[in-house]
Coordinates of all heavy atoms in Angstrom, one line a residue:
M178 N 0.9 -1.2 0.0 CA 0.0 0.0 0.0 C 0.9 1.2 0.0 O 1.8 1.4 0.8 CB -0.9 0.0 1.2 CG -1.8 1.1 1.3 SD -3.1 0.8 2.5 CE -3.0 2.1 3.5
T179 N 0.6 2.2 -0.9 CA 1.4 3.4 -1.0 C 0.9 4.4 0.0 O -0.3 4.5 0.3 CB 1.2 4.1 -2.4 OG1 0.4 3.3 -3.2 CG2 2.5 4.2 -3.0
A180 N 1.9 5.2 0.6 CA 1.5 6.2 1.5 C 0.8 7.4 0.8 O 1.1 7.7 -0.3 CB 2.8 6.7 2.2
V181 N -0.2 7.9 1.5 CA -0.9 9.1 1.0 C 0.0 10.3 1.2 O 0.4 10.5 2.4 CB -2.2 9.2 1.7 CG1 -2.9 10.5 1.3 CG2 -3.1 8.0 1.4
P182 N 0.2 11.1 0.2 CA 1.0 12.4 0.4 C 0.3 13.3 1.5 O -0.9 13.4 1.5 CB 1.1 13.0 -0.9 CG 0.6 12.0 -1.9 CD -0.2 11.0 -1.2
R183 N 1.1 13.8 2.4 CA 0.6 14.7 3.4 C 1.3 16.0 3.3 O 2.5 16.1 3.1 CB 0.9 14.1 4.8 CG 0.3 14.9 5.9 CD 0.4 14.2 7.2 NE -0.7 14.0 8.1 CZ -2.0 14.0 7.8 NH1 -2.4 14.2 6.7 NH2 -2.9 13.8 8.7
F184 N 0.5 17.1 3.3 CA 1.0 18.4 3.2 C 0.5 19.3 4.4 O -0.5 19.0 5.0 CB 0.5 19.1 1.9 CG 0.8 18.3 0.7 CD1 -0.2 17.5 0.1 CD2 2.0 18.4 0.1 CE1 0.1 16.8 -1.1 CE2 2.4 17.7 -1.0 CZ 1.4 16.9 -1.6
T185 N 1.2 20.4 4.6 CA 0.7 21.4 5.5 C 0.7 22.7 4.8 O 1.7 23.0 4.1 CB 1.7 21.5 6.8 OG1 1.7 20.3 7.5 CG2 1.2 22.6 7.7
L186 N -0.4 23.4 4.9 CA -0.5 24.7 4.2 C -0.5 25.8 5.3 O -1.5 25.8 6.2 CB -1.8 24.8 3.4 CG -2.1 26.2 2.8 CD1 -1.0 26.5 1.8 CD2 -3.4 26.2 2.1
Y187 N 0.5 26.5 5.4 CA 0.6 27.6 6.4 C -0.1 28.8 5.8 O 0.2 29.2 4.7 CB 2.0 28.0 6.7 CG 2.7 26.9 7.6 CD1 3.6 26.0 7.0 CD2 2.3 26.7 8.9 CE1 4.1 24.9 7.7 CE2 2.9 25.6 9.6 CZ 3.8 24.8 9.1 OH 4.3 23.7 9.8
S188 N -1.1 29.3 6.5 CA -2.1 30.2 6.0 C -2.5 31.2 7.0 O -1.9 31.2 8.1 CB -3.3 29.4 5.6 OG -4.4 30.1 5.1
R189 N -3.4 32.1 6.7 CA -4.0 33.0 7.6 C -5.4 33.4 7.2 O -5.8 33.2 6.0 CB -3.1 34.3 7.9 CG -2.9 35.1 6.7 CD -2.1 36.4 7.0 NE -1.2 36.4 8.1 CZ 0.1 36.5 8.1 NH1 0.7 36.7 6.9 NH2 0.8 36.5 9.2
S190 N -6.2 33.8 8.2 CA -7.6 34.1 7.9 C -7.6 35.3 6.9 O -6.8 36.2 6.9 CB -8.3 34.5 9.2 OG -8.3 33.5 10.1
Y191 N -8.7 35.3 6.1 CA -9.0 36.4 5.2 C -7.8 36.7 4.2 O -7.5 37.8 3.8 CB -9.3 37.7 5.9 CG -10.4 37.5 6.9 CD1 -10.1 37.5 8.3 CD2 -11.7 37.3 6.5 CE1 -11.2 37.3 9.2 CE2 -12.7 37.1 7.4 CZ -12.5 37.1 8.8 OH -13.5 36.9 9.7
C192 N -7.2 35.6 3.8 CA -6.1 35.7 2.8 C -6.5 35.0 1.5 O -6.6 33.8 1.5 CB -4.8 35.0 3.4 SG -3.5 34.7 2.2
H193 N -6.8 35.8 0.5 CA -7.3 35.3 -0.7 C -6.2 34.4 -1.4 O -6.6 33.4 -2.0 CB -7.8 36.3 -1.7 CG -6.7 37.1 -2.3 ND1 -6.1 36.8 -3.5 CD2 -6.1 38.3 -1.9 CE1 -5.2 37.7 -3.8 NE2 -5.1 38.6 -2.9
L194 N -4.9 34.7 -1.3 CA -3.9 33.8 -1.8 C -3.9 32.5 -1.2 O -3.7 31.4 -1.8 CB -2.5 34.5 -1.7 CG -2.2 35.7 -2.6 CD1 -0.8 36.2 -2.3 CD2 -2.4 35.3 -4.1
C195 N -4.2 32.5 0.1 CA -4.2 31.2 0.9 C -5.4 30.3 0.4 O -5.2 29.1 0.2 CB -4.3 31.5 2.4 SG -3.0 32.5 3.1
E196 N -6.5 31.0 0.3 CA -7.7 30.3 -0.2 C -7.4 29.8 -1.7 O -7.8 28.6 -2.0 CB -8.9 31.2 -0.2 CG -9.3 31.6 1.2 CD -10.3 32.7 1.2 OE1 -10.8 33.2 0.1 OE2 -10.7 33.2 2.3
D197 N -6.8 30.6 -2.5 CA -6.5 30.2 -3.9 C -5.5 29.0 -3.9 O -5.7 28.1 -4.7 CB -5.9 31.4 -4.6 CG -6.9 32.5 -4.9 OD1 -8.1 32.3 -4.7 OD2 -6.4 33.6 -5.3
M198 N -4.5 29.0 -3.0 CA -3.6 27.9 -3.1 C -4.2 26.6 -2.6 O -4.0 25.5 -3.2 CB -2.3 28.2 -2.2 CG -1.3 27.0 -2.4 SD 0.2 27.1 -1.4 CE 1.1 28.4 -2.3
L199 N -5.1 26.7 -1.6 CA -5.8 25.5 -1.2 C -6.7 24.9 -2.3 O -6.7 23.7 -2.6 CB -6.6 25.7 0.1 CG -7.4 24.5 0.6 CD1 -6.4 23.4 1.0 CD2 -8.2 24.9 1.8
A200 N -7.4 25.8 -3.0 CA -8.3 25.4 -4.1 C -7.4 24.8 -5.2 O -7.8 23.8 -5.8 CB -9.1 26.6 -4.6
A201 N -6.3 25.4 -5.5 CA -5.4 24.9 -6.6 C -4.9 23.6 -6.2 O -4.8 22.7 -7.1 CB -4.3 25.9 -6.9
L202 N -4.5 23.4 -5.0 CA -4.0 22.0 -4.5 C -5.1 21.0 -4.7 O -4.8 19.9 -5.2 CB -3.5 22.1 -3.1 CG -3.0 20.8 -2.5 CD1 -1.8 20.2 -3.2 CD2 -2.8 21.0 -1.0
Q203 N -6.3 21.3 -4.2 CA -7.4 20.4 -4.3 C -7.7 20.0 -5.8 O -7.8 18.9 -6.1 CB -8.6 21.0 -3.7 CG -8.5 21.1 -2.2 CD -9.6 22.0 -1.5 OE1 -10.1 22.9 -2.2 NE2 -9.8 21.8 -0.3
A204 N -7.7 21.0 -6.7 CA -7.9 20.8 -8.1 C -6.8 19.9 -8.7 O -7.1 19.0 -9.5 CB -8.1 22.1 -8.9
F205 N -5.6 20.3 -8.4 CA -4.4 19.6 -8.9 C -4.5 18.1 -8.5 O -4.3 17.2 -9.4 CB -3.1 20.2 -8.4 CG -1.9 19.5 -8.9 CD1 -1.3 19.8 -10.1 CD2 -1.2 18.6 -8.0 CE1 -0.2 19.1 -10.6 CE2 0.0 18.0 -8.5 CZ 0.5 18.3 -9.7
M206 N -4.7 17.8 -7.3 CA -4.7 16.4 -6.8 C -5.9 15.7 -7.4 O -5.8 14.5 -7.7 CB -4.7 16.4 -5.3 CG -3.4 17.0 -4.7 SD -1.9 16.2 -5.2 CE -1.9 14.7 -4.2
A207 N -7.0 16.4 -7.6 CA -8.2 15.8 -8.2 C -7.9 15.4 -9.6 O -8.3 14.3 -10.1 CB -9.4 16.7 -8.1
R208 N -7.2 16.2 -10.3 CA -6.9 15.9 -11.7 C -6.0 14.7 -11.8 O -6.1 13.9 -12.7 CB -6.1 17.1 -12.4 CG -7.0 18.2 -12.8 CD -6.4 19.2 -13.8 NE -5.1 19.6 -13.4 CZ -4.8 20.7 -12.6 NH1 -5.8 21.4 -12.2 NH2 -3.6 21.1 -12.3
L209 N -5.1 14.5 -10.8 CA -4.3 13.3 -10.7 C -5.0 12.1 -10.2 O -4.5 11.0 -10.4 CB -3.1 13.6 -9.8 CG -2.1 14.6 -10.2 CD1 -1.0 14.8 -9.1 CD2 -1.4 14.3 -11.5
G210 N -6.2 12.3 -9.6 CA -6.9 11.2 -9.0 C -6.2 10.6 -7.9 O -6.3 9.4 -7.6
M211 N -5.4 11.4 -7.1 CA -4.6 10.9 -6.1 C -5.1 11.4 -4.7 O -5.4 12.5 -4.5 CB -3.1 11.5 -6.3 CG -2.1 11.0 -5.3 SD -0.5 11.7 -5.6 CE 0.0 10.8 -7.1
A212 N -5.2 10.4 -3.8 CA -5.6 10.8 -2.4 C -4.4 11.5 -1.8 O -3.3 11.3 -2.1 CB -5.9 9.5 -1.6
Y213 N -4.8 12.4 -0.8 CA -3.8 13.2 -0.1 C -4.4 13.7 1.2 O -5.6 13.6 1.3 CB -3.3 14.4 -1.0 CG -4.3 15.4 -1.2 CD1 -4.3 16.6 -0.4 CD2 -5.4 15.2 -2.1 CE1 -5.3 17.5 -0.6 CE2 -6.3 16.2 -2.3 CZ -6.3 17.3 -1.6 OH -7.3 18.3 -1.7
A214 N -3.6 14.3 2.0 CA -4.1 14.9 3.2 C -3.4 16.3 3.3 O -2.2 16.4 3.0 CB -3.8 14.1 4.4
V215 N -4.2 17.2 3.8 CA -3.6 18.6 4.0 C -4.1 19.1 5.3 O -5.3 19.1 5.6 CB -3.9 19.5 2.8 CG1 -5.4 19.7 2.6 CG2 -3.2 20.9 2.9
D216 N -3.2 19.6 6.1 CA -3.5 20.3 7.3 C -3.3 21.8 7.0 O -2.3 22.2 6.6 CB -2.6 19.9 8.5 CG -2.7 18.4 8.8 OD1 -3.9 18.0 8.9 OD2 -1.7 17.7 8.9
V217 N -4.3 22.6 7.3 CA -4.3 24.1 7.2 C -4.0 24.7 8.5 O -4.7 24.4 9.5 CB -5.5 24.6 6.6 CG1 -5.4 26.2 6.4 CG2 -5.8 24.0 5.2
V218 N -2.9 25.4 8.6 CA -2.4 25.9 9.9 C -2.4 27.4 9.8 O -1.8 28.0 8.9 CB -1.0 25.4 10.3 CG1 -0.5 26.0 11.6 CG2 -1.0 23.9 10.4
D219 N -3.1 28.1 10.8 CA -3.1 29.6 10.8 C -1.8 30.0 11.5 O -1.6 29.8 12.7 CB -4.3 30.0 11.6 CG -4.5 31.5 11.6 OD1 -3.5 32.3 11.2 OD2 -5.6 32.0 12.0
V220 N -0.9 30.7 10.7 CA 0.3 31.2 11.3 C 0.1 32.2 12.4 O 1.0 32.3 13.3 CB 1.3 31.7 10.2 CG1 1.7 30.7 9.2 CG2 0.7 32.9 9.5
D221 N -0.9 32.9 12.3 CA -1.2 34.0 13.3 C -1.5 33.4 14.7 O -1.5 34.2 15.7 CB -2.3 34.9 12.8 CG -1.8 35.7 11.6 OD1 -0.7 36.1 11.5 OD2 -2.7 36.0 10.7
A222 N -1.7 32.1 14.8 CA -2.0 31.5 16.1 C -0.7 31.1 16.8 O -0.8 30.7 18.0 CB -2.8 30.2 15.9
D223 N 0.4 31.3 16.2 CA 1.7 30.9 16.8 C 2.8 31.9 16.5 O 3.2 32.1 15.3 CB 2.1 29.5 16.3 CG 3.4 29.0 16.9 OD1 4.2 29.7 17.3 OD2 3.5 27.7 16.9
P224 N 3.3 32.6 17.4 CA 4.4 33.6 17.2 C 5.6 33.1 16.4 O 6.2 33.8 15.6 CB 4.8 34.2 18.6 CG 3.6 33.8 19.4 CD 3.0 32.6 18.9
D225 N 6.0 31.8 16.7 CA 7.1 31.2 16.0 C 6.8 31.1 14.5 O 7.7 31.3 13.7 CB 7.5 29.9 16.6 CG 8.1 30.0 18.0 OD1 8.6 31.1 18.3 OD2 7.9 29.0 18.8
L226 N 5.5 30.7 14.2 CA 5.2 30.6 12.8 C 5.1 31.9 12.1 O 5.5 32.1 10.9 CB 3.8 29.8 12.6 CG 3.9 28.4 13.0 CD1 2.5 27.8 12.9 CD2 4.8 27.6 12.2
V227 N 4.6 32.9 12.8 CA 4.6 34.3 12.2 C 6.0 34.7 11.9 O 6.3 35.2 10.8 CB 3.9 35.3 13.2 CG1 4.1 36.7 12.7 CG2 2.5 35.0 13.3
S228 N 7.0 34.5 12.8 CA 8.3 34.9 12.6 C 9.0 34.2 11.4 O 9.8 34.7 10.7 CB 9.2 34.8 13.8 OG 9.4 33.5 14.2
R229 N 8.5 32.9 11.2 CA 9.1 32.1 10.2 C 8.5 32.4 8.8 O 9.2 32.4 7.8 CB 9.0 30.6 10.5 CG 9.6 29.7 9.5 CD 9.6 28.3 10.0 NE 10.3 27.5 9.0 CZ 10.5 26.2 9.1 NH1 10.0 25.6 10.2 NH2 11.1 25.5 8.2
Y230 N 7.2 32.5 8.8 CA 6.5 32.5 7.5 C 5.8 33.9 7.2 O 5.4 34.1 6.0 CB 5.4 31.4 7.4 CG 6.0 30.0 7.4 CD1 5.7 29.2 8.5 CD2 6.8 29.6 6.4 CE1 6.2 27.9 8.5 CE2 7.4 28.3 6.4 CZ 7.1 27.5 7.5 OH 7.6 26.2 7.5
D231 N 5.6 34.7 8.1 CA 4.8 35.9 8.0 C 4.4 36.4 6.6 O 3.3 36.1 6.1 CB 5.5 37.1 8.7 CG 4.7 38.3 8.9 OD1 3.4 38.1 9.0 OD2 5.2 39.4 9.0
E232 N 5.3 37.0 5.9 CA 5.0 37.6 4.6 C 5.1 36.6 3.4 O 4.8 36.9 2.3 CB 5.9 38.8 4.3 CG 5.7 40.0 5.2 CD 4.2 40.5 5.2 OE1 3.7 40.6 4.1 OE2 3.7 40.8 6.2
L233 N 5.4 35.3 3.7 CA 5.5 34.3 2.7 C 4.2 33.5 2.5 O 4.1 32.8 1.5 CB 6.6 33.2 3.1 CG 8.0 33.7 3.0 CD1 9.0 32.6 3.5 CD2 8.4 34.2 1.7
V234 N 3.3 33.6 3.4 CA 2.0 32.9 3.3 C 1.3 33.2 2.0 O 1.3 34.3 1.6 CB 1.1 33.0 4.5 CG1 1.8 32.4 5.8 CG2 0.6 34.4 4.7
P235 N 0.6 32.2 1.5 CA 0.6 30.8 1.9 C 1.9 30.1 1.6 O 2.5 30.4 0.6 CB -0.6 30.2 1.1 CG -0.6 31.1 -0.2 CD -0.2 32.4 0.3
V236 N 2.2 29.1 2.4 CA 3.4 28.3 2.2 C 2.9 26.8 2.3 O 2.3 26.4 3.3 CB 4.5 28.5 3.3 CG1 5.7 27.6 3.1 CG2 4.9 30.0 3.3
L237 N 3.3 26.1 1.3 CA 2.9 24.6 1.2 C 4.2 23.8 1.5 O 5.2 24.0 0.9 CB 2.4 24.2 -0.1 CG 1.9 22.8 -0.3 CD1 0.7 22.5 0.6 CD2 1.6 22.4 -1.7
V238 N 4.1 23.0 2.6 CA 5.3 22.1 2.9 C 4.9 20.7 2.9 O 3.7 20.3 3.0 CB 5.9 22.5 4.3 CG1 6.3 24.0 4.3 CG2 4.9 22.2 5.4
D239 N 5.9 19.8 2.7 CA 5.6 18.4 2.7 C 5.6 17.8 4.1 O 5.9 18.6 5.1 CB 6.6 17.6 1.7 CG 8.0 17.7 2.2 OD1 8.3 18.1 3.3 OD2 8.9 17.4 1.4
A240 N 5.4 16.5 4.2 CA 5.4 15.9 5.6 C 6.7 16.0 6.3 O 6.7 16.0 7.6 CB 5.0 14.4 5.4
A241 N 7.8 16.2 5.6 CA 9.1 16.3 6.2 C 9.4 17.8 6.6 O 10.4 18.1 7.3 CB 10.2 15.8 5.3
G242 N 8.5 18.7 6.3 CA 8.7 20.1 6.6 C 9.4 20.9 5.5 O 9.8 22.1 5.8
S243 N 9.7 20.3 4.4 CA 10.4 21.0 3.3 C 9.4 21.9 2.5 O 8.3 21.4 2.1 CB 11.0 20.0 2.3 OG 12.0 19.3 3.0
E244 N 9.8 23.1 2.3 CA 8.9 24.1 1.6 C 8.8 23.7 0.1 O 9.9 23.5 -0.5 CB 9.5 25.5 1.7 CG 8.6 26.5 1.1 CD 9.2 27.9 1.2 OE1 9.7 28.3 2.3 OE2 9.1 28.7 0.3
L245 N 7.6 23.5 -0.4 CA 7.4 23.2 -1.8 C 7.1 24.5 -2.6 O 7.6 24.6 -3.7 CB 6.2 22.2 -1.9 CG 6.4 20.9 -1.2 CD1 5.1 20.1 -1.3 CD2 7.6 20.1 -1.9
C246 N 6.4 25.4 -2.0 CA 6.1 26.6 -2.7 C 5.4 27.6 -1.8 O 5.0 27.3 -0.7 CB 5.2 26.4 -4.0 SG 3.7 25.5 -3.6
H247 N 5.4 28.9 -2.2 CA 4.7 29.9 -1.5 C 4.1 30.9 -2.4 O 4.4 31.0 -3.6 CB 5.6 30.6 -0.4 CG 6.8 31.2 -1.0 ND1 6.9 32.5 -1.5 CD2 8.1 30.7 -1.1 CE1 8.1 32.7 -1.9 NE2 8.9 31.7 -1.7
Y248 N 3.1 31.6 -1.9 CA 2.2 32.5 -2.7 C 1.3 31.8 -3.7 O 0.1 32.0 -3.6 CB 3.0 33.6 -3.5 CG 4.0 34.4 -2.6 CD1 5.3 34.6 -3.0 CD2 3.5 35.0 -1.5 CE1 6.1 35.4 -2.3 CE2 4.4 35.8 -0.7 CZ 5.7 36.0 -1.1 OH 6.5 36.8 -0.4
F249 N 1.8 31.0 -4.6 CA 1.0 30.3 -5.6 C 1.4 28.9 -5.6 O 2.6 28.6 -5.4 CB 1.1 31.0 -6.9 CG 0.8 32.4 -7.0 CD1 1.8 33.4 -6.9 CD2 -0.5 32.9 -7.0 CE1 1.5 34.7 -6.9 CE2 -0.8 34.2 -7.0 CZ 0.2 35.1 -6.9
L250 N 0.5 28.0 -6.0 CA 0.9 26.6 -6.1 C 1.8 26.4 -7.3 O 1.5 26.8 -8.4 CB -0.4 25.7 -6.4 CG -0.1 24.2 -6.4 CD1 0.2 23.7 -5.0 CD2 -1.3 23.5 -6.9
D251 N 3.0 25.8 -7.1 CA 3.9 25.5 -8.1 C 3.7 24.0 -8.5 O 4.2 23.1 -7.9 CB 5.4 25.7 -7.6 CG 6.4 25.5 -8.6 OD1 6.2 24.8 -9.6 OD2 7.6 26.0 -8.3
E252 N 3.0 23.8 -9.6 CA 2.6 22.5 -10.0 C 3.8 21.7 -10.4 O 3.9 20.5 -10.2 CB 1.6 22.5 -11.2 CG 0.2 23.0 -10.7 CD -0.9 22.8 -11.7 OE1 -0.6 22.2 -12.8 OE2 -2.0 23.2 -11.5
A253 N 4.8 22.3 -11.0 CA 6.1 21.6 -11.4 C 6.8 21.1 -10.2 O 7.2 19.9 -10.1 CB 7.0 22.5 -12.2
A254 N 6.9 21.9 -9.1 CA 7.5 21.5 -7.9 C 6.7 20.4 -7.2 O 7.3 19.4 -6.7 CB 7.7 22.7 -6.9
L255 N 5.4 20.5 -7.3 CA 4.6 19.4 -6.7 C 4.7 18.1 -7.5 O 4.8 17.1 -6.9 CB 3.1 19.9 -6.7 CG 2.2 19.2 -5.8 CD1 2.7 19.0 -4.4 CD2 0.9 19.9 -5.7
R256 N 4.8 18.2 -8.8 CA 5.0 17.0 -9.6 C 6.3 16.3 -9.3 O 6.4 15.1 -9.1 CB 4.9 17.3 -11.1 CG 3.5 17.5 -11.6 CD 3.6 17.8 -13.1 NE 2.2 17.8 -13.6 CZ 1.5 16.7 -13.9 NH1 2.0 15.5 -13.6 NH2 0.3 16.8 -14.3
R257 N 7.4 17.1 -9.1 CA 8.7 16.6 -8.8 C 8.6 15.9 -7.4 O 9.1 14.8 -7.2 CB 9.8 17.7 -8.8 CG 10.2 18.1 -10.1 CD 11.5 19.0 -10.1 NE 11.2 20.2 -9.3 CZ 10.7 21.3 -9.8 NH1 10.3 21.4 -11.1 NH2 10.6 22.4 -9.1
H258 N 8.0 16.6 -6.5 CA 7.9 16.1 -5.1 C 7.1 14.7 -5.1 O 7.5 13.8 -4.4 CB 7.1 17.0 -4.2 CG 6.8 16.5 -2.9 ND1 7.8 16.2 -1.9 CD2 5.6 16.1 -2.3 CE1 7.2 15.7 -0.8 NE2 5.9 15.6 -1.1
L259 N 6.1 14.6 -6.0 CA 5.3 13.4 -6.0 C 5.9 12.3 -6.9 O 5.4 11.2 -7.0 CB 3.9 13.7 -6.5 CG 3.1 14.6 -5.6 CD1 1.8 15.0 -6.3 CD2 2.7 13.9 -4.3
G260 N 7.1 12.7 -7.5 CA 7.8 11.7 -8.4 C 7.1 11.5 -9.7 O 7.2 10.4 -10.3
L261 N 6.5 12.5 -10.2 CA 5.7 12.4 -11.5 C 6.5 13.2 -12.6 O 7.2 14.1 -12.3 CB 4.4 13.1 -11.4 CG 3.5 12.5 -10.3 CD1 2.2 13.3 -10.2 CD2 3.1 11.0 -10.6
Q262 N 6.4 12.7 -13.8 CA 7.1 13.3 -14.9 C 6.3 14.6 -15.2 O 5.1 14.7 -15.0 CB 7.0 12.4 -16.2 CG 7.7 11.2 -16.1 CD 9.2 11.4 -16.2 OE1 9.7 12.4 -16.7 NE2 10.0 10.5 -15.7
A263 N 7.0 15.6 -15.6 CA 6.3 16.9 -16.0 C 5.4 16.6 -17.2 O 5.7 15.8 -18.1 CB 7.3 17.9 -16.4
A264 N 4.3 17.2 -17.3 CA 3.3 17.0 -18.4 C 4.0 17.6 -19.7 O 4.7 18.6 -19.7 CB 2.0 17.8 -18.1
A265 N 3.7 16.9 -20.8 CA 4.3 17.4 -22.1 C 3.6 18.7 -22.4 O 2.4 18.9 -22.2 CB 4.0 16.3 -23.1
A266 N 4.4 19.6 -23.0 CA 3.9 20.9 -23.4 C 3.1 20.8 -24.7 O 3.3 19.9 -25.5 CB 5.0 21.9 -23.5

C-alpha cells in the first residue's frame, strides 16, 4: 500500500492567496486522481510561525517540513515532489 502524500498549508484568515492555493492544490490532486491529506495551519496562532512565514504565506510544505512553494501553487515542484514526470507541453 502506498503512503498518501501529506501536506501542511501555512495560511492566515482572510487571505485570498491562501484560499487560492488550497483550491489549486485540491484541483491539482483531483486531476491526478490521487488521495492526499492537507492540514491548514493559521500562522497567526503561533508567534514562531509568524516569525518564520509571516509575509511568505501561503506556504505549502511536505510531511518532512520542506517548503514546496509559497504565494501560488507550483505544479512543477509538486509533480517533482510526487515523483511524476512533467506534463508534455
Side-chain angles (χ1 to χ4, degrees):
M178 182 164 123
T179 0
V181 171
R183 184 172 232 22
F184 304 101
T185 301
L186 177 61
Y187 291 103
S188 179
R189 59 177 27 117
S190 299
Y191 307 107
C192 168
H193 74 90
L194 289 178
C195 301
E196 294 167 5
D197 291 349
M198 185 181 283
L199 181 58
L202 175 64
Q203 293 166 334
F205 178 81
M206 297 303 283
R208 283 194 312 271
L209 294 177
M211 185 179 285
Y213 68 101
V215 61
D216 297 311
V217 179
V218 176
D219 185 347
V220 297
D221 293 324
D223 182 335
D225 291 333
L226 292 176
V227 171
S228 68
R229 182 171 183 181
Y230 295 118
D231 191 26
E232 295 300 318
L233 293 176
V234 295
V236 180
L237 185 67
V238 301
D239 64 15
S243 298
E244 184 179 320
L245 298 172
C246 52
H247 55 88
Y248 302 131
F249 303 98
L250 187 70
D251 182 341
E252 289 189 6
L255 197 48
R256 284 183 171 281
R257 284 191 301 276
H258 172 72
L259 296 170
L261 303 173
Q262 295 288 338

